[in-house]
Amino acid sequence: MKEDFLELRELVKIFGGDKNEVVAVDRVNLKVHEGEMVTLLGPSGCGKTTTLRMIAGFEHPTSGEIILEGERIKNVPPNKRPTTMVFQNYALFPHMTVYENISYGLKIHGRPEKEIKRRTEEVMRLVGLTGMERRSPTQLSGGQQQRVSLARSLVMEPKVLLLDEPLSNLDAKLRVATRMEIRKLQQRLGITSVYVTHDQEEAMTLSDRVVIMHEGRIQQVGTPREVYGKPANRFVADFIGKANFIKGKILRQTSDGETQVEVLGKTYNIKVERGAWSAGDEVVMVIRPESIVVGPGSLEAPTGKIRQSVYLGSQMVYEVEVGEYILSVEIANPGHERVFAEGEEVSLSFLERSLHVLPPEDK
Amino acid sequence: MRSLTRKSGEVIANLRLIWKEPLLFTSIIAIFYFLIVFVAYPVFGVIKTSLVVKGKLDFSNYLAVFSARYYFQPFLNSMFLGICTACIGTFIGFIFAFGLTRTTLPFKPFFRQTATFPIISPPFVVSLAAILLFGRAGSLTPYVKEVIGEYSIYGLGGLILVETIAYAPTAFLVLYGVLMAIDPALEEASMDLGASRVKVFGTVTLPLSFPGIASAWLLVFIQSLADFGNPMVISGNYRVLSVQAFLQITGMYDLARGSTLAILLLMPTAVAFFLQKYWVARKSYVTVTGKPTGATIKNVEWYIKLPVYSICILYTAGVFLFYGTIVYGSFQTLWGVNPTLTLKNYVQMFQVGKDYILDSLTLSSLATPISGVLGMFIAFLIIRKKFMGRGLMDFISMLTFAVPGTVVGIGYILAFNRPSPIFPIVLTGTAWIIILLLVFRNMPVGIQSGIAALHQIDPSIEEASTDLGADSNTTFRRITLPMIAPAFFSGLVYSFVKAMTAISAVIFVVSGRWNLITVAILGFVDNSQYAPAAAMSLLLIAIVLIALGIIQMIVNRIGRGTRITSIIG
């Protein structure tokens, strides 16, 4: 497996004229491994789709390089690139049947009729469209159209499969089912894929690695666990899941990375990268809502007051006022736990292992 | 500085991408060449001829025109005629559109068909009918004389009458689209808030359609100004620019003076065109999406119905009377003298006009597909491709809309009667000059319908094709073209109708060897042979209707069910 199968090097895309320049993609560096599923995740306007369209060749980079298997492809037109794209709105050819849609690319490449038939039928079986060859795309449901679109891209056996929010036009249930299917298919075929989405749940469940983008820049690249558990900055922490940000202070760091940190008057022992902090540093702690434990009573510090108490069935969601902060707290399985009412005094503690430290100036 | 280097970087990248698609690249170069040679260069020739005397820049032609009443009067006359026609035509068009969209007028399809019928006939057929009805031997002349006394149909009054009938449909089509596109919820909201129907009209409907009204007015104004056939037949002593420019050139052989008059004609039409395209169209509150919503509030009060219905019925009756007269007249032995029914006019028409009919059919059939394909391809380039000079291509290809036929005709004689550095072949007298003129005069219609159709197609469908390995030309052929086929065919119909009924520009380039049916009709009228002229006009209308039917059939086959007639205009 090649480590840098597809590489984006210092990729920049600037749109607009002299006065209204928009830097859509700002010095993006990324290496995609062979057979890997990488998701570009970010809010709308973060440059993820532009990046994808540059890989496909629909946008020409203002500067930087796109390297596929060691070859610079920036100046290769989209029709000559070994990439195929699944479009957000599927972009099926309305005047062709399902079969004609899927076999279109093979025909364009002048494959022999026999091979076209074999490969088209094979991929149709793969995505579960067998029997729909003669249908018109307009007669299909959203989910079926989505499969046609996927099949049309897969049949080309692309070196890189590009997916531009392919599930955003499906309803919620279908979205969940389809994303599992896409993931299985991708793993089975071992296709290197770049997937664009703004849905963090989608990104987390689908990807080998997630690339979080904001304002044209990559904020963090990592496995789903890494980006959730060890967010690189406040934006990532906030964007992936929910997070509470509380000021803290480093008290001591031993040589093996064991660190003592004081948060809300209490001392916690955490493990961080060695040499990242020194004693006396002001830091910001990232604390996930599910890493906070609330207990009865007001004796043990820190204490807080329940501002809002919401029962959601599978979990209990509180807003707790602690000094200058309003903290979100989520308690799973509320059936077995004591439930607090609004106005009650509670004591709080944090699960040591899930505390994460960020520098203070980071906004 | 940074953005400058970035710009040039983008330009180079663009060029490189285009270079990788040599077919696209050559297509763009070729289209530019054709547009320059067959659109811009002839118009430039007219301007140059009017401004350059003996190799030097000289305003003497203009000074002569402005100092002599004889030359300047036609300008005033044309303007006055244009304003009158535009006002009355827009008024009728609006009433008609209002009647069809906002009242319970019965037989709506019938009224709509009638209102658009004059568009598919050569405009001067109306003049011919006017002469048969109200001329010296007109069948209605004695009755009219009893009411208004001595009069002549030849002149301003007659011109306004015939041009109104001929061009009100243009206004109708524009306004029908606008009124259909106004969201009915707006009118309902106004009524819901307590406005009476009259108030709804005054405070919502009318203000919202105002850009449409301005647009319709300007379009009728342009058509009236550029009209050649009707004034040629019926203007009498009321001299207008298009006819005077023609007479200067074909009668006096004065190319410079003729060109100068043509430029006087070009200026107001160009101004009106650009006002319409770049100012009025931008002010528009309604976007015509092609998905008519249809108003729900129908006016049923008698004081609204009475005037609206009267005007609708009156205009429709007028159309019937005029075209009925043509039918009736084509069978009469001698109009106003010997009413015995006969077929000899048709015999005579075929004897004299056989070649004209064949020529017209041949040349139009050759020109129509070329202008259709070219129009679609240019629309594709303008909407979907990025290349240097895209704006310029858009501008030049729309230019022919703004330029009256008379100017184009004169331009073609000037440009192609001798070899020039950019086009070394003499075209005058050949079939090619007519075909090319028809192609490039009717191409904007194809471009327009192509642009409208392309706007409705998601660009990612074409990107998907490129992504799967097709180059631009393959994508156009296999994806874009099939999807815009209905628009393509309606563009074809319109081009064909225009080619068959054209007169103002082609009259300059016809020759002994290659002639056209419209010129033949005009010749009959000139010799006061009204009956054969009527017979030939009917034949022309019949050909156009048959072509329309055939293409509608093809479109139905393709299966989108788009109605051609509703796209015309």
Side-chain angles (χ1 to χ4, degrees):
Chain A
M1 194 192 283
K2 287 178 211 127
E3 276 288 287
D4 42 3
F5 189 69
L6 170 70
E7 185 184 350
L8 310 182
R9 197 180 288 166
E10 287 292 304
L11 208 55
V12 174
K13 179 69 188 178
I14 301 173
F15 286 114
D18 302 333
K19 298 216 175 68
N20 45 0
E21 257 189 23
V22 178
V23 184
V25 175
D26 193 1
R27 283 163 289 158
V28 160
N29 288 293
L30 180 67
K31 286 180 180 180
V32 180
H33 310 155
E34 191 172 10
E36 184 185 37
M37 179 86 142
V38 165
T39 302
L40 305 182
L41 173 66
S44 52
C46 73
K48 55 190 191 298
T49 296
T50 308
T51 306
L52 194 76
R53 288 172 62 83
M54 283 195 281
I55 301 173
F58 296 125
E59 304 289 351
H60 193 264
T62 307
S63 64
E65 276 299 341
I66 303 169
I67 299 151
L68 181 63
E69 286 189 305
E71 226 176 291
R72 291 160 187 249
I73 59 165
K74 183 166 82 172
N75 291 321
V76 177
N79 49 321
K80 302 269 163 65
R81 291 191 192 188
T83 59
T84 56
M85 180 139 150
V86 177
F87 290 82
Q88 183 169 10
N89 52 8
Y90 318 138
L92 300 179
F93 309 129
H95 57 298
M96 297 183 184
T97 62
V98 168
Y99 183 88
E100 285 166 340
N101 261 284
I102 298 174
S103 59
Y104 179 83
L106 294 173
K107 240 180 227 144
I108 291 291
H109 281 88
R111 315 304 310 182
E113 199 57 50
K114 257 175 117 178
E115 183 193 335
I116 295 178
K117 194 165 165 1
R118 179 178 54 75
R119 280 169 69 175
T120 306
E121 280 171 358
E122 192 181 296
V123 77
M124 284 185 76
R125 196 169 57 247
L126 205 63
V127 299
L129 280 172
T130 309
M132 302 214 180
E133 287 84 354
R134 311 288 294 275
R135 297 260 199 106
S136 153
T138 48
Q139 298 171 318
L140 302 182
S141 69
Q144 288 167 330
Q145 290 183 9
Q146 212 279 325
R147 285 155 196 260
V148 177
S149 178
L150 187 62
R152 189 177 64 181
S153 298
L154 286 177
V155 79
M156 300 307 297
E157 292 168 9
K159 289 206 170 134
V160 183
L161 179 66
L162 307 169
L163 303 108
D164 184 11
E165 309 217 13
L167 304 179
S168 62
N169 283 334
L170 301 178
D171 64 60
K173 272 231 166 95
L174 202 54
R175 202 149 55 212
V176 173
T178 314
R179 80 181 176 216
M180 292 323 293
E181 272 177 54
I182 289 182
R183 176 60 165 160
K184 276 187 212 148
L185 216 57
Q186 184 268 332
Q187 281 176 326
R188 194 160 89 198
L189 302 174
I191 287 189
T192 312
S193 308
V194 181
Y195 190 106
V196 159
T197 183
H198 63 264
D199 181 335
Q200 51 139 325
E201 198 181 299
E202 212 167 284
M204 300 295 263
T205 48
L206 270 171
S207 336
D208 293 308
R209 284 190 304 155
V210 181
V211 178
I212 292 151
M213 293 183 70
H214 181 49
E215 291 176 343
R217 292 204 195 104
I218 290 184
Q219 305 293 318
Q220 188 174 3
V221 183
T223 63
R225 283 185 81 112
E226 281 166 2
V227 295
Y228 188 80
K230 303 210 177 316
N233 56 38
R234 192 164 175 146
F235 173 81
V236 175
D238 211 21
F239 188 75
I240 304 285
K242 269 191 267 176
N244 296 298
F245 298 100
I246 306 174
K247 278 186 203 148
K249 196 173 180 185
I250 304 289
L251 297 177
R252 202 161 65 82
Q253 189 173 39
T254 62
S255 57
D256 59 349
E258 286 290 342
T259 307
Q260 278 190 342
V261 58
E262 185 198 306
V263 187
L264 294 174
K266 225 176 172 177
T267 306
Y268 297 90
N269 288 311
I270 56 173
K271 196 159 170 99
V272 295
E273 207 182 316
R274 197 148 48 87
W277 314 103
S278 47
D281 278 355
E282 301 275 343
V283 293
V284 168
M285 304 302 298
V286 179
I287 303 169
R288 299 290 181 187
E290 69 275 12
S291 307
I292 303 179
V293 180
V294 289
S298 54
L299 297 171
E300 204 181 348
T303 61
K305 198 176 192 182
I306 303 280
R307 280 276 162 226
Q308 197 180 49
S309 166
V310 180
Y311 177 67
L312 285 180
S314 68
Q315 60 185 6
M316 203 61 215
V317 176
Y318 297 109
E319 275 187 8
V320 187
E321 188 178 345
V322 186
E324 58 186 299
Y325 305 107
I326 305 270
L327 302 181
S328 305
V329 179
E330 289 173 12
I331 309 292
N333 257 337
H336 304 281
E337 306 278 338
R338 158 132 197 239
V339 169
F340 300 95
E342 279 158 29
E344 267 189 83
E345 290 276 328
V346 290
S347 64
L348 295 114
S349 57
F350 307 130
L351 299 178
E352 264 179 355
R353 280 204 294 179
S354 47
L355 289 177
H356 181 66
V357 190
L358 289 178
E361 70 275 14
D362 193 80
K363 288 265 153 55
Chain B
M1 200 50 215
R2 189 169 72 101
S3 86
L4 196 74
T5 50
R6 176 167 69 78
K7 272 270 164 59
S8 53
E10 266 172 18
V11 168
I12 291 165
N14 252 330
L15 280 179
R16 196 184 281 137
L17 281 184
I18 287 174
W19 189 245
K20 292 240 161 99
E21 291 203 49
L23 204 52
L24 178 69
F25 181 72
T26 32
S27 306
I28 291 173
I29 297 291
I31 284 172
F32 259 116
Y33 177 70
F34 285 133
L35 285 177
I36 286 165
V37 171
F38 296 109
V39 178
Y41 178 58
V43 175
F44 173 74
V46 180
I47 297 171
K48 197 178 117 190
T49 310
S50 75
L51 276 176
V52 178
V53 180
K54 293 195 188 103
K56 270 196 294 227
L57 185 67
D58 188 333
F59 291 95
S60 63
N61 283 314
Y62 288 89
L63 290 175
V65 166
F66 280 105
S67 59
R69 192 80 181 156
Y70 179 80
Y71 291 118
F72 191 56
Q73 191 62 42
F75 176 76
L76 297 176
N77 285 352
S78 276
M79 294 295 283
F80 186 68
L81 171 66
I83 290 168
C84 289
T85 307
C87 290
I88 303 172
T90 307
F91 177 72
I92 293 177
F94 186 82
I95 297 289
F96 228 99
F98 186 82
L100 281 174
T101 57
R102 296 294 192 279
T103 70
T104 50
L105 183 75
F107 310 116
K108 280 184 182 155
F110 165 76
F111 277 107
R112 215 182 66 183
Q113 295 288 329
T114 318
T116 47
F117 188 72
I119 283 187
I120 62 155
S121 85
F124 56 86
V125 168
V126 186
S127 290
L128 178 58
I131 290 173
L132 296 179
L133 285 167
F134 306 107
R136 284 179 203 108
S139 43
L140 296 180
T141 306
Y143 309 105
V144 180
K145 267 188 180 158
E146 243 170 58
V147 183
I148 63 167
E150 207 54 47
Y151 77 98
S152 169
I153 193 68
Y154 300 95
L156 179 64
L159 266 174
I160 292 177
L161 175 74
V162 297
E163 288 196 349
T164 302
I165 290 186
Y167 300 130
T170 309
F172 162 74
L173 281 173
V174 172
L175 294 165
Y176 183 77
V178 168
L179 285 179
M180 281 300 266
I182 292 177
D183 188 346
L186 295 176
E187 285 168 349
E188 283 166 8
S190 159
M191 206 165 206
D192 189 50
L193 294 167
S196 66
R197 286 179 204 281
V198 178
K199 268 260 155 59
V200 170
F201 178 77
T203 57
V204 177
T205 318
L206 193 60
L208 283 181
S209 42
F210 194 73
I213 293 173
S215 194
W217 193 95
L218 289 168
L219 287 176
V220 176
F221 177 74
I222 292 171
Q223 285 192 311
S224 164
L225 230 60
D227 189 10
F228 171 78
N230 285 311
M232 191 67 192
V233 173
I234 210 169
S235 64
N237 289 326
Y238 191 79
R239 292 175 295 117
V240 298
L241 282 173
S242 56
V243 173
Q244 291 308 310
F246 173 72
L247 293 178
Q248 282 293 325
I249 286 170
T250 56
M252 319 263 191
Y253 303 103
D254 190 342
L255 274 170
R257 204 55 53 87
S259 297
T260 312
L261 289 173
I263 294 302
L264 285 189
L265 179 61
L266 171 64
M267 282 188 299
T269 50
V271 168
F273 175 77
F274 288 109
L275 271 181
Q276 196 271 332
K277 186 165 162 65
Y278 293 104
W279 183 63
V280 178
R282 275 200 194 148
K283 291 237 161 208
S284 180
Y285 302 106
V286 290
T287 43
V288 182
T289 54
K291 280 184 196 156
T293 39
T296 47
I297 296 183
K298 303 286 185 201
N299 292 276
V300 287
E301 285 80 358
W302 66 269
Y303 55 84
I304 293 172
K305 270 162 75 171
L306 187 71
V308 169
Y309 284 21
S310 311
I311 288 174
C312 289
I313 291 168
L314 217 65
Y315 177 79
T316 312
V319 171
F320 264 89
L321 179 66
F322 275 62
Y323 285 92
T325 304
I326 297 286
V327 178
Y328 186 52
S330 73
F331 292 105
Q332 293 226 325
T333 312
L334 189 56
W335 185 261
V337 179
N338 183 356
T340 323
L341 295 184
T342 174
L343 282 176
K344 79 167 172 59
N345 298 317
Y346 284 87
V347 176
Q348 190 192 354
M349 164 194 80
F350 275 114
Q351 275 168 352
V352 179
K354 192 177 76 225
D355 293 339
Y356 292 83
I357 297 164
L358 279 178
D359 284 0
S360 246
L361 272 174
T362 317
L363 298 176
S364 301
S365 309
L366 284 171
T368 302
I370 303 176
S371 69
V373 172
L374 207 56
M376 283 295 146
F377 193 63
I378 292 178
F380 174 71
L381 290 178
I382 290 173
I383 297 293
R384 293 285 201 257
K385 292 284 147 195
K386 286 184 232 159
F387 55 91
M388 269 191 304
R390 189 176 58 162
L392 187 69
M393 183 180 281
D394 189 18
F395 179 81
I396 299 179
S397 54
M398 286 299 127
L399 198 62
T400 45
F401 259 151
V403 181
T406 309
V407 180
V408 177
I410 296 173
Y412 268 55
I413 346 180
L414 293 171
F416 304 116
N417 65 351
R418 61 168 167 252
S420 62
I422 62 166
F423 196 77
I425 306 163
V426 175
L427 290 176
T428 309
T430 64
W432 283 109
I433 194 166
I434 301 177
I435 294 174
L436 287 164
L437 189 138
L438 291 175
V439 165
F440 286 94
R441 252 189 97 55
N442 300 328
M443 193 183 56
V445 185
I447 299 179
Q448 285 292 293
S449 44
I451 286 177
L454 283 171
H455 273 308
Q456 290 178 5
I457 298 171
D458 192 326
S460 62
I461 292 181
E462 284 151 333
E463 281 178 358
S465 166
T466 316
D467 189 52
L468 294 166
D471 61 17
S472 284
N473 288 49
T474 312
T475 299
F476 179 73
R477 209 180 61 243
R478 303 189 62 153
I479 304 298
T480 318
L481 207 51
M483 283 200 294
I484 57 178
F488 171 72
F489 282 111
S490 31
L492 275 194
V493 174
Y494 195 77
S495 297
F496 185 74
V497 172
K498 284 290 240 181
M500 288 299 287
T501 60
I503 181 75
S504 60
V506 289
I507 197 158
F508 289 96
V509 296
V510 292
S511 53
R513 268 190 305 161
W514 294 97
N515 219 317
L516 293 174
I517 192 166
T518 44
V519 179
I521 299 173
L522 216 53
F524 279 128
V525 176
D526 235 18
N527 298 331
S528 300
Q529 292 174 295
Y530 298 128
M536 206 165 204
S537 302
L538 278 183
L539 177 76
L540 177 49
I541 292 171
I543 293 172
V544 166
L545 283 176
I546 290 168
L548 227 144
I550 291 173
I551 297 188
Q552 177 71 60
M553 250 164 51
I554 297 174
V555 172
N556 286 346
R557 265 280 164 78
I558 295 172
R560 306 273 146 111
T562 319
R563 285 197 58 82
I564 288 170
T565 41
S566 59
I567 295 170
I568 284 182

